Amino acid sequence: MMLLLIPLLPLLGFLINAALGRRLPKSISGGLACLAMVASFVVSVMSALAASRAADHAVQQTVFNWIPSGDFQIPFALRVDPLSSLMILVVTGIGSLIHIYSTAYMHEESDSEYARYFSYLNLFAAFMLVLVLGANFPVMFVGWEGVGLCSYLLIGFWFRKKSAADAGKKAFVVNRIGDFGFILGMLLLFATFSTLDFQELASKVAARAPEAGEWGVVTIATLLLFLGATGKSAQIPLYVWLPDAMEGPTPVSALIHAATMVTAGVYMIGRNAVLFTHAPHTLAIVAGIGVATALMAGTIGLVQNDIKRVLAYSTVSQLGYMFLAMGVGAYAAGIFHLYTHAFFKALLFLGSGAVIHALAGEQDLRNMGGLKKELPITYWTFLIGALAIAGIFPLSGFFSKDEILFRTFSSGRTVLWAIGLITAFLTATYMFRLVFLAFHGERRHDAPPEHPEEEEPAAHAAGGDIAGARAAAHSSGASHSAPGATHPASGTPHPASRTPHPASAHGDHLHDAPPAMAFALIVLAIGSVVAGIVGIPHAIGGSNEIEAFLAPSFEAHATAPAQSEFQIAPPPGELAAQAPAESHEASGSGTELTLMAVSLGVAVAGIGLAVYFWLRNRRAADRVAESAAPAYRLLLNKYYVDELYDSAIVQPIKYASTALLWKGVDAALIDGAVNGVGATIRGASGSLRRLQTGSIRAYAASLILGVVLILGWYLTR
């Protein structure tokens, strides 16, 4: 029963707030949601400890027999092993802090809207917990689809604002594309192996030879599963929904980007490590897509002016790092980065929310500056997050990012390692560009004036990128209007619910994060510093404990027929021979130290570049943008991918659905046939109607004539 309580507690919080929340004061509805998450965290800790003490490092619970069909049975089973232990602690721990932060951030919402927000937040956490606890694909898929639904609800929370409603729809549609591949992958695995249980699948696949020279069933199935991962974890080509997700409240952005939805794809590959290890072609594609996404998002983030969009592209880039690790077989390194990223990315988003909260909804970096003295808690915690994501020693991001780069280099993929190194340089640069523009210098109001009456030049793929559309409208490409200037900012509730914060619209009386928000920032800052301790590499005297801890989750285990749990008994030499990137070699310590120094030097160089351009000499940055105007426009408009999707996919589908299907098939063919039958009957009835003259003599004559004709017919036979 303990495992069921982990997702059940936030689900109960959702049910109570959804049913009764509008009748409850904010303190009760918010407190109930926070209590549900904290209680779930406590149960998660207890479950993780129980799993660590178990003989097979796992605890499994079958809640009920979900889909019985003859010999085929799919139980609703939950399983905690090292991998899911880490994930439930991240989801419930980081999620609890985000809930606590939200009690202050959303305090100006009405009681009913406040309760609706927390009910969605609890439901999101519940579905994510089902996803990571599921012992088989169908249970995982319940959580997989559930977080997609909740992302739609939370991104479009201020649904009266068109950009927010459009962003929610865009996230929902794009994720359904990836989910289609995920379903096909599940069906193919079931048709081949007659099971969807993760442990049974791993055991059966481990008995096969890797599909090194062929594109077999496992390769095709894992490619389909990876398509689902590209949707959930925002990788090329399905990453376009994530930047637009910034239209939701800032704590929602933190929850999606740090602890829940976007990590689902990475987790899914780690959960099915044996399958992916037996599909080398798929792993190569995963690594290539990951590093390409990391580089592309890093270049876009370098020029964005909305504080949350910079962080959004940062998330896309860091997810690319995680997929790079998965693609080179370094599953533990990818999960390690997922774990550290949860701390510093949640910290950065919540820190940006504190800035937005203080500035009455302002999100444009060009209208910030000089906040260091006014917002000391926000500044110093945000700085820690920026240093961590940049990979500065000894913060957590340094160890996890270095582990990925080292594993990539050790696998012989030097080109991918070099691209990852360039991305690390970009990360340090754009993150400290954000820090310097927001917190240093003097307060500015440099954003160009808005033109609300201006027609938006492009309706994007699922209708949501206002910032990009405005950017496309400026032929010079020097700047674009931030969405927060013409619309209610994502950090402030919808005007139907409240009015913008009256203070500090122009920096008159800035206020630092209130206690609930400050508490979350400080705890996350501490986590961003110390979380990397579990992964200190051997080269500098550590033991990389997280790798040893997670290793059993990436191996095939022998199944015990009479039990629902699995014993650790990996086939001799089976998986170890498949994943050389996961083994440590003492002879590589010198190489690792060298690569560590290189990655640290690259991060410092990126910070130095940001210091020069955005702290010391901001006019130089403007001159560079002017001299490279075509490249600047390209990055500012995000490589025109939204416009490309709109032209190549959305508009043709709209044309086919309106001009061909609706006007041609529905209106002309189907409606035409129905209307034609009606017209024929109407015309025939009009002719027959003339016989109804109303004259009794005519009716009598007709009757006599009929009788005569009938008698004549009989007499002449």
Side-chain angles (χ1 to χ4, degrees):
M1 187 64 183
M2 183 180 291
L3 299 189
L4 181 60
L5 281 176
I6 297 173
L8 186 61
L9 287 167
L11 180 61
L12 289 174
F14 157 74
L15 293 174
I16 295 173
N17 265 326
L20 305 174
R22 67 181 60 190
R23 300 180 181 89
L24 301 174
K26 293 177 186 177
S27 58
I28 295 180
S29 58
L32 177 67
C34 294
L35 179 62
M37 285 303 299
V38 172
S40 182
F41 174 70
V42 172
V43 178
S44 297
V45 172
M46 296 168 61
S47 300
L49 291 174
S52 68
R53 292 192 295 264
D56 56 357
H57 304 292
V59 174
Q60 183 161 317
Q61 176 187 349
T62 299
V63 181
F64 58 89
N65 195 15
W66 181 20
I67 306 178
S69 179
D71 294 334
F72 175 63
Q73 306 285 326
I74 295 182
F76 193 93
L78 306 177
R79 179 183 174 88
V80 169
D81 65 357
L83 177 58
S84 54
S85 293
L86 184 144
M87 291 298 298
I88 60 176
L89 292 176
V90 167
V91 173
T92 57
I94 304 294
S96 296
L97 292 173
I98 293 171
H99 276 67
I100 293 171
Y101 177 99
S102 296
T103 59
Y105 191 86
M106 303 293 287
H107 72 284
E108 292 190 40
E109 293 285 348
S110 65
D111 288 352
S112 61
E113 292 296 287
Y114 194 80
R116 180 169 69 92
Y117 169 82
F118 277 104
S119 68
Y120 291 168
L121 220 58
N122 271 177
L123 185 63
F124 203 162
F127 275 125
M128 187 65 191
L129 290 167
V130 170
L131 189 156
V132 299
L133 286 171
N136 53 58
F137 268 112
V139 176
M140 172 185 273
F141 192 67
V142 170
W144 189 275
E145 288 297 289
V147 295
L149 167 66
C150 292
S151 69
Y152 166 75
L153 295 173
L154 283 168
I155 293 168
F157 177 75
W158 291 312
F159 56 89
R160 294 182 182 86
K161 185 173 67 167
K162 185 178 184 303
S163 58
D166 288 344
K169 289 185 289 186
K170 185 173 185 178
F172 192 81
V173 170
V174 172
N175 273 276
R176 297 293 73 72
I177 297 170
D179 294 349
F180 177 69
F182 190 93
I183 294 172
L184 292 179
M186 279 199 305
L187 295 177
L188 181 57
L189 288 172
F190 174 70
T192 305
F193 299 103
S194 301
T195 183
L196 290 172
D197 183 272
F198 293 130
Q199 301 301 313
E200 292 178 9
L201 271 174
S203 297
K204 292 184 177 183
V205 171
R208 291 180 165 218
E211 296 176 348
E214 58 179 329
W215 289 75
V217 172
V218 176
T219 299
I220 296 172
T222 50
L223 278 174
L224 290 169
L225 293 175
F226 177 59
L227 177 61
T230 62
K232 279 290 179 290
S233 296
Q235 299 294 285
I236 294 173
L238 300 180
Y239 71 93
V240 292
W241 68 271
L242 192 59
D244 288 356
M246 299 303 95
E247 293 292 343
T250 302
V252 171
S253 303
L255 190 63
I256 292 176
H257 287 244
T260 55
M261 184 169 169
V262 297
T263 63
V266 181
Y267 169 78
M268 185 272 294
I269 294 180
R271 173 55 65 205
N272 295 282
V274 176
L275 272 70
F276 281 84
T277 299
H278 279 70
H281 295 301
T282 300
L283 285 183
I285 293 172
V286 171
I289 292 289
V291 78
T293 304
L295 179 63
M296 183 198 68
T299 56
I300 296 174
L302 198 60
V303 301
Q304 297 302 303
N305 294 313
D306 185 293
I307 186 171
K308 288 176 65 178
R309 283 186 180 267
V310 175
L311 296 177
Y313 282 106
S314 168
T315 298
V316 176
S317 184
Q318 296 304 305
L319 288 166
Y321 260 106
M322 298 174 205
F323 279 102
L324 170 61
M326 296 297 181
V328 299
Y331 303 112
I335 298 299
F336 182 29
H337 196 55
L338 182 157
Y339 161 69
T340 61
H341 177 263
F343 285 97
F344 54 71
K345 185 50 61 68
L347 172 60
L348 290 168
F349 265 112
L350 298 185
S352 72
V355 171
I356 294 167
H357 189 267
L359 298 180
E362 180 60 71
Q363 293 183 208
D364 198 315
L365 288 168
R366 294 166 296 182
N367 290 334
M368 298 183 187
L371 302 179
K372 177 181 176 181
K373 294 181 180 179
E374 302 287 348
L375 311 176
I377 296 176
T378 302
Y379 170 72
W380 288 109
T381 53
F382 196 95
L383 181 63
I384 290 172
L387 290 168
I389 196 174
I392 299 300
F393 181 85
L395 279 74
S396 60
F398 168 79
F399 296 107
S400 58
K401 186 177 293 186
D402 174 74
E403 185 74 7
I404 293 174
L405 292 174
F406 172 63
R407 298 297 182 188
T408 304
F409 187 87
S410 300
S411 69
R413 296 166 172 87
T414 53
V415 174
L416 299 184
W417 170 80
I419 297 174
L421 203 63
I422 294 170
T423 304
F425 174 80
L426 293 173
T427 302
T429 303
Y430 66 67
M431 282 308 307
F432 276 84
R433 168 184 177 265
L434 188 158
V435 170
F436 296 144
L437 289 179
F439 293 99
H440 289 259
E442 300 296 330
R443 183 72 188 277
R444 304 176 308 281
H445 299 280
D446 298 337
E450 289 293 332
H451 304 284
E453 73 282 0
E454 182 176 283
E455 187 82 13
E456 299 296 351
H460 290 296
D465 200 338
I466 302 301
R470 287 197 177 277
H474 295 280
S475 59
S476 66
S479 61
H480 76 279
S481 301
T486 50
H487 304 288
S490 297
T492 48
H494 186 270
S497 305
R498 56 164 279 195
T499 56
H501 197 290
S504 68
H506 300 284
D508 297 327
H509 180 61
L510 299 182
H511 54 88
D512 206 349
M517 294 167 63
F519 171 76
L521 293 175
I522 293 170
V523 173
L524 289 170
I526 294 171
S528 299
V529 174
V530 304
I533 292 176
V534 298
I536 297 176
H538 298 271
I540 56 175
S543 58
N544 205 343
E545 295 174 2
I546 194 168
E547 182 180 27
F549 172 73
L550 292 172
S553 298
F554 306 135
E555 299 171 350
H557 305 296
T559 58
Q563 300 176 3
S564 61
E565 303 184 11
F566 303 91
Q567 304 299 316
I568 296 180
E574 177 63 48
L575 191 64
Q578 308 297 330
E582 283 294 280
S583 62
H584 279 288
E585 297 182 6
S587 60
S589 295
T591 302
E592 186 171 6
L593 286 172
T594 302
L595 295 176
M596 216 178 276
V598 170
S599 63
L600 181 59
V602 164
V604 172
I607 296 174
L609 185 68
V611 168
Y612 174 76
F613 279 116
W614 292 287
L615 187 61
R616 305 291 186 192
N617 192 4
R618 291 182 181 174
R619 292 184 179 179
D622 295 335
R623 289 194 296 269
V624 170
E626 292 172 1
S627 62
Y632 183 78
R633 278 198 301 271
L634 183 67
L635 298 181
L636 193 62
N637 289 280
K638 300 156 289 183
Y639 294 101
Y640 297 98
V641 172
D642 278 308
E643 290 81 358
L644 176 63
Y645 283 1
D646 184 68
S647 300
I649 300 175
V650 177
Q651 295 306 323
I653 290 176
K654 288 176 65 177
Y655 174 79
S657 62
T658 54
L660 299 180
L661 295 178
W662 175 44
K663 294 182 179 179
V665 177
D666 187 35
L669 184 61
I670 299 175
D671 289 353
V674 173
N675 294 335
V677 171
T680 302
I681 294 175
R682 185 172 59 250
S685 63
S687 300
L688 292 173
R689 187 177 56 191
R690 295 177 183 177
L691 299 176
Q692 304 297 321
T693 62
S695 171
I696 296 177
R697 287 180 295 179
Y699 294 157
S702 299
L703 179 62
I704 294 171
L705 179 61
V707 170
V708 170
L709 290 175
I710 292 172
L711 289 174
W713 181 75
Y714 273 105
L715 293 174
T716 57
R717 289 181 64 186

